[in-house]
Amino acid sequence: MSSLSSKRSVYSYWFIVPAAVIYVMFFLAPTFFSFFFSLTRWSLFDWNFIGLENFKMFFRENSLSIGFKNTLIYAVLTCGLKVVFGFILASYLSTNIKFQGLLRSIVFFPTILSTIAIGITFGSLMHPTRGAMNLALGLVGIAGPDWLGDVNWALFSVILVDVWKGVGIAIIIFMAGIKAIPDQYYEALSIDGGNALDKLLHITLPLSRSAMNAVFILALIGGLRSFDLVWTMTKGGPGFTTDLIASIIYKQYQGGFYGLATAGNVILFVLVAAIAMPLYRYISSREVEV
């Protein structure tokens, strides 16, 4: 009997092998090689070990301080706006309203669109003279700004587009959390004379904390790692005003400084982990169980 049990146990482990191979090939191996090549000066055909020199050079990058500041601003604002708008819209779309399915589809639709396509489209819509946004503002007598060319507007314009595209995912997560709240809680509050606002503040908000935590962490990590939308819309301009850490790394790859760019990726990985992991542990410890 013990021999048969042992064979069954070994047999079951074979089901893990495909997933383990994929994990090693596409996560562990690239991670290891990234850390290794960050310590080298390399090209496609050769490499030389130079220790921490790439990291020293990366921290001497002229635009790095701007990139760090912009990355933090971008991550905090996109994260905060997705949490706020996602919760409000999810709460509304979870009620018995007309055209509920249609409205849910509308708010989720931007999420399935290509980020590159969205960047190109909004780059045209936000053109200072020919863009539809400024033409529409002109019809009501408002002179629209140069959304992507003005240093005071460029970063915030991209942030708003990012929120428009990504809030659909936040809504879906929030709706799942809201649907998991038992109806008895709402019924009890109604008996006690509670109105819709009371239900939102005293039941929906605290009991959807786990969904809010998921949205917060995902949006924060996405904001810290963001690149494609910013690059498509502004390429880091005007000047360095919309440069993020990821776009600085990409410019180094473009310049042929592969080791330097790899070191930048390692630094970005460490930055995201250093911010996200403690935050995740903290907010998870404060979750309210339904």
Side-chain angles (χ1 to χ4, degrees), residues 21-43:
V21 170
I22 293 173
Y23 182 74
V24 170
M25 289 180 60
F26 295 101
F27 181 78
L28 288 184
T31 301
F32 169 78
F33 285 115
S34 293
F35 277 92
F36 173 76
F37 281 109
S38 68
L39 303 174
T40 68
R41 182 178 292 113
W42 63 276
S43 65

Side-chain angles (χ1 to χ4, degrees), residues 6-18 20:
S6 176
K7 287 181 179 179
R8 287 179 177 175
S9 178
V10 172
Y11 175 75
S12 64
Y13 282 116
W14 283 103
F15 289 98
I16 304 175
V17 171

Side-chain angles (χ1 to χ4, degrees), residues 54 58 248-250 252-253 257-266:
N54 284 325
F58 186 85
I248 294 172
I249 293 170
Y250 183 73
Q252 292 167 345
Y253 271 119
F257 303 105
Y258 304 126
L260 181 61
T262 307
N265 275 320
V266 171

Side-chain angles (χ1 to χ4, degrees), residues 200-257:
L200 179 68
L201 295 178
H202 301 297
I203 296 178
T204 305
L205 182 59
L207 295 185
S208 60
R209 180 70 65 84
S210 59
M212 185 174 294
N213 292 345
V215 172
F216 179 83
I217 291 297
L218 290 174
L220 183 65
I221 292 174
L224 290 171
R225 297 173 57 250
S226 186
F227 163 74
D228 43 4
L229 186 64
V230 173
W231 188 258
T232 305
M233 294 183 69
T234 66
K235 290 184 169 56
F240 301 109
T241 53
T242 60
D243 253 335
L244 307 180
I245 296 177
S247 62
I248 294 172
I249 293 170
Y250 183 73
K251 288 178 181 179
Q252 292 167 345
Y253 271 119
Q254 280 187 320
F257 303 105

Side-chain angles (χ1 to χ4, degrees), residues 58-226:
F58 186 85
F59 282 110
R60 289 198 295 265
E61 182 75 33
N62 291 331
S63 60
L64 185 61
S65 59
I66 299 175
F68 268 113
K69 182 188 74 173
N70 288 345
T71 299
L72 292 176
I73 292 173
Y74 191 96
V76 170
L77 289 182
T78 54
C79 175
L81 291 173
K82 287 176 184 177
V83 169
V84 172
F85 286 118
F87 177 74
I88 293 173
L89 291 172
S91 299
Y92 178 69
L93 293 173
S94 296
T95 59
N96 295 321
I97 56 174
K98 291 183 177 180
F99 310 112
Q100 185 183 69
L102 176 62
L103 292 174
R104 289 179 179 181
S105 299
I106 290 173
V107 298
F108 187 72
F109 178 71
T111 304
I112 66 177
L113 298 177
S114 164
T115 303
I116 303 300
I118 288 176
I120 294 172
T121 301
F122 273 91
S124 299
L125 292 175
M126 291 179 171
H127 190 278
T129 57
R130 301 189 302 272
M133 293 179 63
N134 280 357
L135 291 176
L137 290 173
L139 294 176
V140 294
I142 299 175
D146 186 353
W147 299 97
L148 302 177
D150 188 327
V151 295
N152 297 315
W153 281 95
L155 184 62
F156 297 104
S157 298
V158 180
I159 287 172
L160 292 177
V161 176
D162 189 307
V163 173
W164 176 80
K165 181 188 182 336
V167 74
I169 292 292
I171 292 171
I172 294 298
I173 296 174
F174 272 123
M175 287 179 62
I178 292 171
K179 289 295 183 182
I181 300 174
D183 293 334
Q184 293 90 326
Y185 295 163
Y186 295 106
E187 293 170 0
L189 188 58
S190 296
I191 294 172
D192 291 338
N195 56 29
L197 184 60
D198 292 326
K199 293 177 182 179
L200 179 68
L201 295 178
H202 301 297
I203 296 178
T204 305
L205 182 59
L207 295 185
S208 60
R209 180 70 65 84
S210 59
M212 185 174 294
N213 292 345
V215 172
F216 179 83
I217 291 297
L218 290 174
L220 183 65
I221 292 174
L224 290 171
R225 297 173 57 250
S226 186

